[in-house]
Amino acid sequence: MTKVLNGNDVATKIQKYFNGAVLDSNDIDIWIKPDIFREVCSFLESSDEFNMNYLVSISGVDYVEYFELVYHLVSMSKNHSLVLKMKLYGTREQPSAPSIVSIWKGADLQEREIWDLLGIGFEDHHNMKRILLWEGFPGHPLRKDYIG
């Protein structure tokens, strides 16, 4: 069975390498600052200790006051998992987050789906366009304020 790493323990180790990167943590989750998120992901993927070589999923949530992205990571060789989260505050007009396609290729279609349905863009994504709905579709239907 895959072991779920303790979020507080991993957050402490992340803080050693990236001071101020962790906004909050608990037994399961770690919230990372958006401006350092890609670097933290790269560290978790390449580190011998964590070796998070597989991105299981990315989910987007609209809490009206902010958007949240949830990343489920697994190390196939070490048989452990981790949940990273990122809160996006500010404008609802053009929310954006750093793309992690350069770290995990499996993020490609997932980031495009989040863009399509929630309208969260991913910086430096090589092909940020709709994947489920047609180009020109008005709005993003998973937003709480969507009227369709």
Side-chain angles (χ1 to χ4, degrees):
M1 182 169 213
T2 302
K3 177 186 177 191
V4 178
L5 295 178
N6 183 291
N8 292 321
D9 294 344
V10 176
T12 301
K13 292 177 182 177
I14 290 171
Q15 281 291 92
K16 287 181 184 176
Y17 291 96
F18 304 97
N19 189 27
V22 176
L23 296 173
D24 196 9
S25 65
N26 60 33
D27 290 343
I28 298 172
D29 310 310
I30 305 170
W31 284 265
I32 304 291
K33 284 185 176 179
D35 59 342
I36 193 79
F37 192 82
R38 185 182 297 130
E39 290 81 359
V40 170
C41 287
S42 182
F43 165 74
L44 291 171
E45 190 271 337
S46 63
S47 151
D48 288 336
E49 180 179 3
F50 298 109
N51 192 27
M52 294 294 179
N53 56 350
Y54 184 66
L55 171 69
V56 176
S57 66
I58 309 171
S59 302
V61 184
D62 181 357
Y63 287 106
V64 180
E65 299 84 24
Y66 61 91
F67 292 101
E68 186 170 75
L69 295 171
V70 182
Y71 297 76
H72 290 89
L73 309 175
V74 168
S75 170
M76 302 297 271
S77 62
K78 301 209 180 268
N79 198 27
H80 57 221
S81 66
L82 182 64
V83 177
L84 293 182
K85 295 183 177 184
M86 176 183 2
K87 290 183 180 181
L88 303 173
Y89 291 98
T91 179
R92 292 183 63 81
E93 297 304 313
Q94 293 182 332
S96 68
S99 174
I100 56 165
V101 172
S102 62
I103 302 165
W104 296 290
K105 301 294 182 211
D108 185 5
L109 298 179
Q110 295 180 64
E111 288 180 355
R112 286 179 58 195
E113 179 183 21
I114 291 168
W115 157 246
D116 196 3
L117 299 177
L118 277 172
I120 300 170
F122 289 86
E123 301 153 11
D124 300 323
H125 190 285
H126 65 283
N127 192 19
M128 188 55 42
K129 63 181 184 179
R130 291 192 182 266
I131 190 169
L132 298 171
L133 302 168
W134 59 92
E135 292 298 329
F137 183 88
H140 305 281
L142 289 185
R143 285 190 173 198
K144 299 228 178 186
D145 56 359
Y146 177 74
I147 300 172

